[in-house]
Amino acid sequence: MTDPAATMVVDPIATGADDALALVTTSDRRTWAELRREAMAVAAGLARHGVTSGARVGVLATPGASVAAIHAIRVAGGVLVPLDARLGEPELRDRIQRAGRTLLLHDAPHADVASSLATSRTGITSLDLATAGVSEGAAELPPLDTAALAALVPTSGTTTRARLVRLDHAALLASADAWNGWLGATSADPWLAAMPLTHVAGLGMVLRAARTGACLHVHDRFDVERIGETLATAGIRFLSVVPTQLRRVLDAGVMPGPTLRALLLGGAPIPHDLVTRALDAGWPVVATYGLTEAASAVTALPVAEARDGAGSSGRPLPAMQVRIVAPDGSQAPTSTDGAIEVSGPSVMAGYEDDPVATSAALHDGWLRTGDIGRLDVEGRLWVLDRRDDLIVSGGENVSPAAVEAVIADHEGVDDAGVVGWPDPRWGARPAAAVVLASDAPVGTLATIGDHVRHRLGPWHAPAWVAQVSAI
C-alpha cells in the first residue's frame, strides 16, 4: 500500500523539526515526524470517508488523542467540532446536530458513546481514530485555505445553550501568532495544557505549540499533583489556568518550577488578592482577557506589571484593539465603566446558524463582548463582569463575579458561585453556593453574609447561602 504521508500536502501549521518532541501525554510521547505522519494518515482516512472542504467532523477523544485529530481535520479541509466527553449524550447529540451532518471521530475509550450517538435516526456516522489512520491508498488533500471555516467552538458563557462560534483558520492562526509573538515563544519553549482541548484556550495551546514547533504536554484532567511534577521535571515554559485552578495550585503548595516563564491567567474576572498571593509564591503571573468569539486572544499584562496592576487584564495583544462604550453608544472616557468591545484578526466570523445573535454581536468591525469593564490611564483593561450576569437589586447593580471573589477569599471557603434570585421587594437578590474548605470552622456559612457586607456593601451580601460539594 502507498504511504499516505508521501503524497500529501504537509500541514503548514505543524512546523516542528522531525526529531524534536511534539507531544507528551499520560501514556505516550511523539516526535513531530511521528505526530505529522499520524495526522496525515488520519486526514487521508477522513478524505476516504467523504470529508471534503467544509465538512463537519466532531472529535470525542481523550486530550492526547485529540491533538492528532485536530491537525488531521485541518489538513483534510474539514471543520473541527470539539466535543466534551463530560457532557451527557443529549447535549452531545444536540451540538453535533446543530453543526450539521457530522462525522464523529472517536478513540477507543469513547467508542460506546460514539456508537450510541451514531445512528441512522440522528444522521451521525462514527469513525474510530485507529481505523481512520490505517492506509488504504492515497487520498488527494486540499491546500490549507486560511479564509475557510476551521472550527465550531462552543461558548462557555452565560446562555442556557452554548452557541457555536465560527472561527476560520486565519482567526485561529492570528491568535496563536499573537500569543507567541507577545511571549517571545520559540521551539525551545514547551507548553503545558492542563485544561480541556475542547475549550478555546486549550485548542489555542495546540496551535501555539505547532506554530513554533514546541512540545505540548497534555494532561487528561486537571490534577494538581501531576501539574507540580510536570513543572518540576519537564522544562515547561508556559501554563494556562483559570482563577479557580490557580487557587487550588496555591492551596496545595505547588511551586512554579525552575523554567516557567509565564502563567497565563484568565477565563474569569481576576481577583487582586489571588494575583498578589501567586506573585508572593513566585509564580510569573500574566493576567489575560479573552473569549471564544475572539479565539481567546485580546489582552495580556506583563509579569513586570503584575503586582502594580493586580486585578487588571493588561493591554491589547498585537493587532487587537479594545474600546469601552457608554450606554449611548459613544466611546467612554478613560477610567469609566462601560461595555467592552474588541476588534482584530482573531475575531469570529459569527455564530453558527444564528444570524440574529451574530448581528447583535458584530457591528462595524467590532465585537460586542457582553462584558463590562474600563480602561485606565495606562491603557490597561479592567474586566468587571458579564453584563448579562448583573443582578439589579433595589436599583443597585451587583456583580456576581465580585461577590464570588470576596466569598472565595474567606478563610473557610474553597470556591463559590453567585446568581440572582427573584425577590418580590428588591427585584432580585444575590444567592450563593459555597464549597467549604476541609478545615472550615463550624458556623462558617453564617459568617459569609457579614464578610461580603463588610467588603462590598449591604446590597452585595447574599440573602441565601447554601453549601455544595462542587461548583
Side-chain angles (χ1 to χ4, degrees), residues 7 21 28 73 91 126 150 212 264 266 292 297 401 403 428 450:
T7 59
L21 264 182
D28 193 16
I73 294 167
E91 179 64 17
S126 65
T212 60
L264 304 184
T292 307
V403 179
D450 285 340

Side-chain angles (χ1 to χ4, degrees), residues 323-327 330-340 372-377 381-382 384:
R323 69 182 183 185
I324 305 299
V325 177
S330 64
Q331 190 157 328
T334 300
S335 299
T336 302
D337 297 354
I340 301 172
I372 56 175
R374 61 176 177 268
L375 290 169
D376 65 17
V377 294
L381 176 67
W382 298 75
L384 305 178

Side-chain angles (χ1 to χ4, degrees), residues 220-244:
D220 288 344
R221 60 187 180 86
F222 186 82
D223 183 310
V224 171
E225 183 177 345
R226 189 174 171 217
I227 285 174
E229 293 173 354
T230 304
L231 290 173
T233 62
I236 300 298
R237 292 285 202 273
F238 306 118
L239 167 67
S240 183
V241 297
V242 299
T244 298

Side-chain angles (χ1 to χ4, degrees), residues 68-117:
I70 289 168
H71 290 306
I73 294 167
R74 178 175 296 101
V75 172
V79 178
L80 169 68
V81 184
L83 299 169
D84 192 334
R86 296 171 298 178
L87 296 173
E89 282 192 31
E91 179 64 17
L92 287 171
R93 186 176 296 108
D94 176 69
R95 290 193 183 183
I96 294 171
Q97 292 178 326
R98 285 162 57 201
R101 191 171 182 84
T102 305
L103 176 69
L104 178 56
L105 196 59
H106 67 87
D107 60 1
H110 298 94
D112 289 343
V113 176
S115 177
S116 178
L117 291 168

Side-chain angles (χ1 to χ4, degrees), residues 257-283:
T259 59
L260 191 69
R261 283 173 44 196
L263 171 80
L264 304 184
L265 180 64
I270 301 171
H272 178 284
D273 293 347
L274 180 64
V275 174
T276 301
R277 181 184 172 195
L279 292 171
D280 289 344
W283 288 87

Side-chain angles (χ1 to χ4, degrees), residues 94-309:
D94 176 69
R95 290 193 183 183
I96 294 171
Q97 292 178 326
R98 285 162 57 201
R101 191 171 182 84
T102 305
L103 176 69
L104 178 56
L105 196 59
H106 67 87
D107 60 1
H110 298 94
D112 289 343
V113 176
S115 177
S116 178
L117 291 168
T119 66
S120 58
R121 180 175 58 82
T122 62
I124 302 166
T125 57
S126 65
L127 177 62
D128 192 297
L129 265 166
T131 302
V134 174
S135 177
E136 297 178 0
E140 185 175 348
L141 297 171
L144 185 70
D145 178 5
T146 58
L149 183 63
L152 296 174
V153 184
T155 62
S156 57
T158 57
T159 55
T160 56
R161 192 188 195 198
R163 294 190 176 108
L164 298 179
V165 176
R166 295 172 57 88
L167 295 173
D168 55 35
H169 291 284
L172 290 171
L173 296 181
S175 174
D177 291 345
W179 277 115
N180 283 336
W182 191 88
L183 291 165
T186 71
S187 60
D189 298 320
W191 286 81
L192 171 55
M195 60 174 56
L197 303 189
T198 54
H199 187 279
V200 72
L203 175 60
M205 280 185 276
V206 174
L207 300 181
R208 292 170 213 165
R211 290 293 276 178
T212 60
C215 182
L216 178 69
H217 292 251
V218 176
H219 289 184
D220 288 344
R221 60 187 180 86
F222 186 82
D223 183 310
V224 171
E225 183 177 345
R226 189 174 171 217
I227 285 174
E229 293 173 354
T230 304
L231 290 173
T233 62
I236 300 298
R237 292 285 202 273
F238 306 118
L239 167 67
S240 183
V241 297
V242 299
T244 298
Q245 292 172 327
L246 177 57
R247 196 179 302 280
R248 288 176 58 189
V249 166
L250 295 174
D251 289 345
V254 173
M255 300 303 293
T259 59
L260 191 69
R261 283 173 44 196
L263 171 80
L264 304 184
L265 180 64
I270 301 171
H272 178 284
D273 293 347
L274 180 64
V275 174
T276 301
R277 181 184 172 195
L279 292 171
D280 289 344
W283 288 87
V285 178
V286 172
T288 73
Y289 171 68
L291 64 163
T292 307
E293 289 89 340
S296 89
V298 179
T299 68
L301 183 70
V303 176
E305 298 181 40
R307 195 173 295 276
D308 290 342

